[in-house]
Amino acid sequence: MAEVPGNTSPSTDSWTPSVVTDKDGRVESEIGTQPAQDAVAVAGQPQRTGSSFGAFLNLICVVIGTGSLNLPSTLKRSGWIGVLLIGVSGCIGVLSGVLVVSSLNMLSHGRLRNFNQIGYAA
């Protein structure tokens, strides 16, 4: 590829992503979507917008992702017995879920709300 005279290739230090603003005033770049103006908290630190529920969902995604990546190796090592054990584990999980839901709806005067009430009613 021929170089254009007077045109130098950009170095990695001076590269900036192209910025496009959408109709809501948010800046979209190659890195992701960010607010147009960063909210700044005390002492010049960026304001954190995470939540406990978001952290919980991230943790669940990591656990499920790790398990699904290890599944082919596990099935290779265990063979048909592994497939049988995964099926049995799935059935036990469904059965325990059905039992918990049915025990929550057990009382005639109302619905139980948590495991503590299930234990007390038992």
Side-chain angles (χ1 to χ4, degrees), residues 99-107 110-114 118:
L99 289 175
V100 167
V101 169
S102 65
S103 63
L104 286 172
N105 296 323
M106 208 163 150
L107 296 178
R111 186 172 190 268
L112 300 174
R113 295 182 181 265
N114 56 30
I118 292 173

Side-chain angles (χ1 to χ4, degrees), residues 13 15 35 42-43 48 50 52 58 67 71-72 75 86 89 99-100 111-113 120:
D13 296 330
W15 181 82
V42 180
R48 297 182 179 192
S52 296
N58 283 333
L71 195 58
L75 290 176
I86 289 174
S89 297
L99 289 175
V100 167
R111 186 172 190 268
L112 300 174
R113 295 182 181 265
Y120 185 75

Side-chain angles (χ1 to χ4, degrees), residues 1-2 12 14 20 34 36 41 46 64 67 69 71 77 80 89 91 96 99 103-105 110-111 117 119:
M1 193 168 174
T12 56
S14 64
V20 178
Q34 302 172 4
I64 291 173
L69 288 174
L71 195 58
R77 292 179 184 170
W80 288 106
S89 297
C91 291
S96 65
L99 289 175
S103 63
L104 286 172
N105 296 323
R111 186 172 190 268
Q117 291 178 350

Side-chain angles (χ1 to χ4, degrees), residues 1 11-12 26 29 32 49-50 60 68 75-76 80 108 118-119:
M1 193 168 174
S11 67
T12 56
R26 296 177 66 87
S29 67
T49 58
I60 294 298
S68 63
L75 290 176
K76 179 183 176 187
W80 288 106
S108 60
I118 292 173

